Amino acid sequence: MKYDEKLSKDYRITILSLSWRDIKSPAAGGAEVHTHEMLSRADSKKYRIIHIAPYFEGLKKAECIDHIHYIRKGNIFTVIWYAFFYYQKNKDYINYVIDQCNTHRFFSPLWVRKEKRIFYILQLTREIWDINLKFPFSKIGKYTENFLLKMNKNDFTITESLSTKNNLIQVGFQPRKIKVIPVGMNFAPWEPEEFKKKSRNRFLYM
């Protein structure tokens, strides 16, 4: 798939995923790993997945990783407009739009039909606004969070934990529409015998 290629009809279900970072972004973290791992495990014979995120210097503007077609355009603000126009151009061939909220959002309820929307959020931000932003932006983010979340309260929603699900229910989300997808690990456990051979002390952290 090329950088600005218009989609064509496909026998597969087409999912458009939107986020402010992707798996190769300089500040990629746990949320991006979770997103990539979740999408990469979708059967490529059944699903065509396109992921739009901002462009960062040194990255390709388009590439396919684990059958996910990554498109990178603009910055964290202008990518919202690009996603909007991309959807409008291809909406006849897009079945679902996953709008990932990680303080950043794409405001998909304003331009995607309700039956196509999937809201994806790992945690509510709450006090993190005070830690990561300076006044007055910290206060603006903190006091508008619930208001903005309510835009998606009727959408089908994906999250990673029961605690976040309960937080969303308190905001007004419908419990039956929230799906918890726990975080997994790719890790081959050490054999007990091998672990005992280690002479140095070990610090384990989870």
Side-chain angles (χ1 to χ4, degrees):
M1 181 177 293
K2 295 181 181 178
Y3 172 61
D4 248 344
E5 181 180 352
K6 191 178 188 303
L7 292 178
S8 58
K9 190 173 183 180
D10 195 284
Y11 67 91
R12 297 169 295 177
I13 295 171
T14 299
I15 296 175
L16 176 62
S17 177
L18 310 172
S19 70
W20 71 328
R21 296 171 183 162
D22 66 44
I23 191 65
K24 285 193 175 181
S25 298
E32 289 67 46
V33 172
H34 188 265
T35 302
H36 181 84
E37 293 293 335
M38 177 179 66
L39 295 176
S40 68
R41 280 164 170 71
D43 188 344
S44 60
K45 294 180 180 179
K46 295 181 179 180
Y47 298 96
R48 175 174 59 173
I49 300 175
I50 300 123
H51 189 289
I52 293 178
Y55 171 78
F56 290 93
E57 187 176 354
L59 299 181
K60 295 180 180 178
K61 291 190 174 180
E63 66 177 316
C64 185
I65 308 173
D66 297 332
H67 73 78
I68 303 169
H69 297 280
Y70 282 99
I71 297 174
R72 302 181 179 102
K73 178 78 172 181
N75 55 42
I76 63 172
F77 301 109
T78 59
V79 71
I80 299 171
W81 289 107
Y82 179 76
F84 167 76
F85 289 117
Y86 185 90
Y87 174 77
Q88 294 301 322
K89 181 171 66 175
N90 296 292
K91 61 183 178 182
D92 292 337
Y93 305 118
I94 295 173
N95 300 96
Y96 299 102
V97 176
I98 300 177
D99 185 350
Q100 180 174 343
C101 174
N102 193 354
T103 65
H104 180 281
R105 55 177 58 245
F106 284 81
F107 301 99
S108 59
L110 300 178
W111 46 276
V112 179
R113 283 164 34 194
K114 180 180 176 181
E115 60 270 22
K116 288 189 175 185
R117 297 197 308 261
I118 300 173
F119 188 56
Y120 173 38
I121 181 170
L122 297 180
Q123 71 279 319
L124 278 64
T125 314
R126 301 307 196 219
E127 70 279 357
I128 303 301
W129 289 104
D130 293 326
I131 298 172
N132 289 347
L133 289 178
K134 294 181 179 180
F135 181 86
F137 302 105
S138 59
K139 298 304 178 186
I140 293 171
K142 190 173 184 178
Y143 290 116
T144 59
E145 183 174 13
N146 279 2
F147 171 77
L148 293 174
L149 282 172
K150 288 180 179 180
M151 293 177 63
N152 301 91
K153 68 178 183 179
N154 295 316
D155 294 352
F156 285 101
T157 300
I158 298 171
T159 189
E160 66 169 356
S161 68
L162 183 59
S163 61
T164 302
K165 177 179 179 178
N166 291 335
N167 289 154
L168 292 171
I169 292 171
Q170 290 173 3
V171 174
F173 282 65
Q174 301 177 41
R176 65 182 181 84
K177 287 189 173 182
I178 303 174
K179 176 68 175 179
V180 176
I181 300 180
V183 176
M185 280 182 67
N186 275 335
F187 175 69
W190 296 307
E191 293 294 334
E193 293 76 14
E194 183 65 23
F195 187 75
K196 291 176 183 177
K197 291 179 182 178
K198 304 296 182 182
S199 58
R200 297 180 179 178
N201 293 329
R202 294 289 183 266
F203 177 77
L204 303 182
Y205 172 79
M206 179 173 290

